[in-house]
Amino acid sequence: MPGAASDQTAERNQEDGRQEGGRQGGFALVLVLGTLVLIAALALGLAQTSRLEVRRAANMAAAGKARALLDAGVALAVFDADRPLRARRFRPAGPAARVGLGDATLDIRVFEDWGRVDLNRSNPLLLRGLIEAVGEEADNARAIADTVAARRGDTMASRAREDGQPHRPFLSVAELATVPGVTPELLRRLWDEVTVDGGPGRLSVAAAGPLTLASLPNLSAADRAAVIALAGGWATGGAGGGAGGAADSGLAERAAAAGVELDPEGGFPIVGRTLTVRVRASKDGAEALAEAVVVLSDVKSPTPYRVVEWREPPGL
């Protein structure tokens, strides 16, 4: 019957509408759930990022404080350098001395550049002996020392500069890496023993390290042993320390002829003296390490020192 068919058609349409509405509602529910999951993931990621940023900011702040402590370490070393040699807390070329500064620690080492082999002024034989003392073969040590002398225009050089460039002084110890035969490992071993700011060219034994003392040229084994003993006496304040403590009155003259200064105090002027101060600063889990090359003036002046170079020591 037409009426019954019409009713059935209406029912089917209503059923189809309900099914379509159900499908649309299910799709909307999935969309809402997906949106909620995405929002939750974004919130979690944002929270993690925020925590990382807070941690990174804290680490940066701690690192900044550690770097600021480097200046404090340099100041401590400079004012200590005005004291008599055997009364110093930071021994030239000695081991690092630890200093507590509040909740921070400073490990400080001081090098008197008058106690290091000067790339610009020292006798090439001294540099050659030092290179051999750190473990290089004699032929390579001789070639390196001769190249250094040729580059700086030294009259002791046995040959002219090979690259045809004009002679000039070394401006930084790092330039030693440009000399043929000087590997990064050799530069690391020589780093604490050489300088470009060594004063008039005579090596001050009182401030020299053990390797440099062991490589003194043009001295007999007996003279070298006597010099090392004198240096040890100055370092500890024991008997025999001081230029007048040498049993052999001619030792000072023979040492001077070899480019070595025995007088521990006379070799250390205040104004114009150069120090290298290495500071390792630790605070709040952060650490900073650097060296400052410092030129001294009168410690009683408003500016008792001037930092001419900050640098990172290689491989330390």
Side-chain angles (χ1 to χ4, degrees):
M1 295 181 64
S6 178
D7 290 341
Q8 290 176 356
T9 300
E11 289 176 0
R12 282 198 300 271
N13 290 338
Q14 290 177 357
E15 182 64 24
D16 290 343
R18 285 194 295 270
Q19 291 178 354
E20 181 65 23
R23 285 195 295 270
Q24 290 180 353
F27 177 75
L29 178 61
V30 170
L31 182 62
V32 170
L33 291 175
T35 302
L36 291 175
V37 169
L38 180 59
I39 291 174
L42 290 175
L44 179 61
L46 182 60
Q48 291 177 339
T49 300
S50 298
R51 284 196 295 270
L52 288 175
E53 288 299 327
V54 170
R55 189 181 307 166
R56 184 180 304 166
N59 290 339
M60 290 178 63
K65 292 176 182 177
R67 287 193 295 270
L69 288 167
L70 297 176
D71 290 310
V74 171
L76 288 172
V78 166
F79 286 104
D80 184 68
D82 188 45
R83 304 169 68 190
L85 184 64
R86 60 174 58 111
R88 291 197 205 172
R89 181 175 189 178
F90 310 113
R91 309 294 314 179
R98 175 159 290 188
V99 177
L101 204 62
D103 58 350
T105 59
L106 304 176
D107 293 304
I108 302 173
R109 288 193 72 188
V110 173
F111 302 90
E112 291 273 2
D113 280 16
W114 282 38
R116 303 164 108 175
V117 177
D118 192 334
L119 297 177
N120 292 319
R121 301 176 182 88
S122 292
N123 189 321
L125 291 176
L126 180 57
L127 178 59
R128 173 182 165 183
L130 175 62
I131 296 172
E132 290 185 34
V134 299
E136 283 295 302
E137 295 182 356
D139 289 344
N140 192 39
R142 184 187 305 109
I144 292 171
D146 205 30
T147 300
V148 168
R151 286 195 179 185
R152 71 192 191 190
D154 200 318
T155 56
M156 298 181 186
S158 62
R159 54 186 170 78
R161 184 167 176 172
E162 292 180 342
D163 55 13
Q165 296 298 314
H167 300 298
R168 70 167 181 82
F170 285 80
L171 303 179
S172 171
V173 172
E175 287 187 18
L176 191 59
T178 66
V179 174
V182 178
T183 63
E185 172 59 21
L186 177 56
L187 179 63
R188 185 190 65 80
R189 283 181 276 148
L190 290 172
W191 188 267
D192 288 347
E193 311 296 331
V194 296
T195 182
V196 296
D197 301 295
R202 282 192 175 183
L203 178 77
S204 179
V205 171
L211 278 175
T212 301
L213 291 174
S215 62
L216 296 177
N218 298 332
L219 289 177
S220 67
D223 280 351
R224 188 179 294 111
V227 168
I228 293 173
L230 284 172
W234 287 319
T236 61
D248 184 348
S249 60
L251 178 61
E253 293 181 3
R254 293 194 298 275
V260 176
E261 173 65 63
L262 293 187
D263 185 353
E265 303 298 345
F268 290 167
I270 295 298
V271 178
R273 189 161 111 235
T274 304
L275 302 178
T276 299
V277 183
R278 180 180 300 158
V279 183
R280 187 186 300 272
S282 304
K283 180 177 174 62
D284 298 335
E287 185 174 273
L289 170 67
E291 286 182 350
V293 180
V294 179
V295 177
L296 303 185
S297 56
D298 189 344
V299 294
K300 297 178 182 178
S301 70
T303 54
Y305 65 93
R306 176 171 55 92
V307 177
V308 296
E309 181 184 8
W310 280 102
R311 64 194 185 193
E312 293 185 9
L316 299 177

